[in-house]
Amino acid sequence: MYCYRFPDKDTFVAACGTLGWLSEPSEEVPEAVVIPYTHDRAIDEVGPIETLPGTYDEDGVELTAPEYDTRHHVNFMGEAPLEWDQYLVDVNSPSRIFAGSGAPITLEQLNELRNPTEEVE
């Protein structure tokens, strides 16, 4: 699984568009939307994530508001697009994962997968 952080949703949608991953506009859906699930990819749009939980009293009244990273976070399964490398982030404990996906892959690991080093005997 790969974890990406785009500046905003529009940047993410545009990045999907360059890869041909948007639906065709129709009467029912006049705007193109991301096609998240196919035979070779799965996209989980997480959106903004909470970085610091809020605090609440015993009645549930908010004492301090939670803080958020408002950038557009995305989890991805499939062949990692080269065009998205600049948005790949290292995540130690993702808030959501795909079942059976294991730990997120780092950029260093991704580069090793793309360019395996030959072992000398």
Side-chain angles (χ1 to χ4, degrees), residues 51 96 113-114:
T51 57
R96 298 190 329 211
L113 289 170
R114 288 181 178 149

Side-chain angles (χ1 to χ4, degrees), residues 17-96:
T18 62
L19 297 170
W21 294 355
L22 298 180
S23 67
E24 292 294 324
S26 65
E27 285 186 29
E28 298 84 32
V29 184
E31 292 185 22
V33 296
V34 174
I35 302 169
Y37 302 102
T38 67
H39 70 284
D40 62 352
R41 73 171 176 274
I43 298 172
D44 174 27
E45 290 186 63
V46 179
I49 58 169
E50 186 178 87
T51 57
L52 185 65
T55 58
Y56 305 87
D57 68 14
E58 59 275 353
D59 296 323
V61 176
E62 183 177 82
L63 301 174
T64 58
E67 294 181 16
Y68 292 89
D69 179 342
T70 59
R71 293 171 286 187
H72 197 71
H73 297 80
V74 174
N75 294 334
F76 180 84
M77 293 271 299
E79 186 175 335
L82 286 169
E83 299 86 349
W84 290 13
D85 281 3
Q86 64 184 315
Y87 305 112
L88 187 66
V89 292
D90 293 341
V91 178
N92 294 327
S93 55
S95 58
R96 298 190 329 211

